[in-house]
Amino acid sequence: MTQPVWVGMLTYRRPEGLAEAVGMLRAQLDLVPGARLLVVDNDEHPSAASAVAEAAGGDVRVVYVHEPTPGIAAARNRALAEAGPEAVVVFIDDDEQPSQMWLPTLLACWEETGAAAVVGPVLSTFDDDPDPWITAGGFFQRLRHATGTVVTTAATNNLLLDLTRVGELRFDLGFGLSGGSDTVFTRTLSAAGGRIVWCDEAPVHDLVPADRATRTWVRARASRIGNSDSRVQVYLAPAGRRPIARLRATVRGLVRVLGGSARLLLGRLAGSPTHHARGTRTLLRGVGMLRGAWGSYVTEYAR
């Protein structure tokens, strides 16, 4: 492997978990000679500097940078800039745990396929057993595919990017505080001919704290996902076709609102938590789609 390999981890005011995260990723670096870890601190002040230095323990493979521009898109772009145009960058969140052979497995899939990007699964784990209603609703379930499947969109919480194939493409700062910049990025990359392939053998585990495993949080998240979906759909449409894109997003949102409402009602009448929860999820995604179709969006990462 001739290209430099960087693991990119973004962090924002989470010093209590950095030591464990840096430690686990240093263990991954041991499996890939020459690989390095880049920690991008997106706080206004470099609040994570001391925690990262302590966790690194003098390991020169761990590099800390401070990106004060608010928003996850700016932090992602800083990671790409620091890595350089010839690098391979592998993104992971600071609240995730990589599987045992995560990094070498992603890299092997990239080398075998020659893809511009490789994405792996994210599996949620919980501090305590979640509310059965949340489990029945599948709020933390994510799609999985067979290894080698070509996909057109991906999140950056388990994503390898070959910057020689990405070229000048960067994350859109207009989505920095709302979320969705990774969707815009990967859909644009795919539309330009950059293949994104799935690697099912390289999962990471998303550690869901108790304050996120609540009905209030998952309802808000469902709406935000729908909101981002339709907003991205309209944004990526050619200027002359954006009115059509808005109408399509509106129709998709209405279908989900109506279908979700019907299933929610069925769940109440039949006493079915599954129908009630899944109907709620579909309904709220539809509401979010309707808002996003007409320019109203949620600033999930607002400061």
Side-chain angles (χ1 to χ4, degrees), residues 12 17 26 36 61 82 84-85 101 103 134 140 160 204 213 227 247-248 250 276 285 287 303:
Y12 175 71
R26 287 175 64 194
R36 304 179 78 184
R61 300 174 302 173
E82 293 288 335
M101 295 296 291
L103 184 57
I134 293 175
F140 288 97
L160 177 153
V204 299
N227 184 265
L247 289 174
R248 286 178 175 171
T250 299
H276 186 275
R285 284 198 179 186
V287 171
R303 303 294 170 85

Side-chain angles (χ1 to χ4, degrees), residues 60-85:
V60 296
R61 300 174 302 173
V62 180
V63 177
Y64 167 89
V65 296
H66 175 227
E67 176 49 65
T69 305
I72 195 167
R76 288 168 178 154
N77 286 339
R78 179 64 182 274
L80 300 187
E82 293 288 335

Side-chain angles (χ1 to χ4, degrees), residues 92 95-99 121-125 203-208:
I92 186 172
D95 57 354
E96 292 177 339
Q97 295 181 347
S99 52
V122 177
L123 311 177
S124 292
T125 58
V204 299
H205 296 272
D206 174 34
L207 306 179
V208 181

Side-chain angles (χ1 to χ4, degrees), residues 70-125:
I72 195 167
R76 288 168 178 154
N77 286 339
R78 179 64 182 274
L80 300 187
E82 293 288 335
E86 302 297 320
V88 173
V89 175
V90 186
F91 281 111
I92 186 172
D93 287 353
D94 64 351
D95 57 354
E96 292 177 339
Q97 295 181 347
S99 52
Q100 186 175 4
M101 295 296 291
W102 168 72
L103 184 57
T105 302
L106 280 177
L107 290 166
C109 185
W110 162 67
E111 289 184 310
E112 291 168 7
T113 62
V118 179
V119 57
V122 177
L123 311 177
S124 292
T125 58

Side-chain angles (χ1 to χ4, degrees), residues 153-199:
T153 186
T156 55
N157 48 3
N158 187 5
L159 180 68
L160 177 153
L161 294 174
D162 179 349
L163 299 193
T164 66
R165 292 179 169 87
V166 166
E168 299 298 318
L169 180 63
R170 292 297 181 265
F171 294 92
D172 194 310
L173 297 180
F175 289 81
L177 296 177
S178 64
S181 64
D182 47 2
T183 304
V184 172
F185 182 98
T186 51
R187 287 188 184 177
T188 302
L189 177 63
S190 179
R195 283 190 308 125
I196 306 171
V197 301
W198 185 268
C199 181

Side-chain angles (χ1 to χ4, degrees), residues 235-261:
Y235 177 81
L236 291 177
R241 296 185 61 82
R242 283 186 181 168
I244 296 175
R246 289 188 192 280
L247 289 174
R248 286 178 175 171
T250 299
V251 170
R252 291 174 64 218
L254 285 173
V255 168
R256 282 163 176 76
V257 167
L258 294 174
S261 298

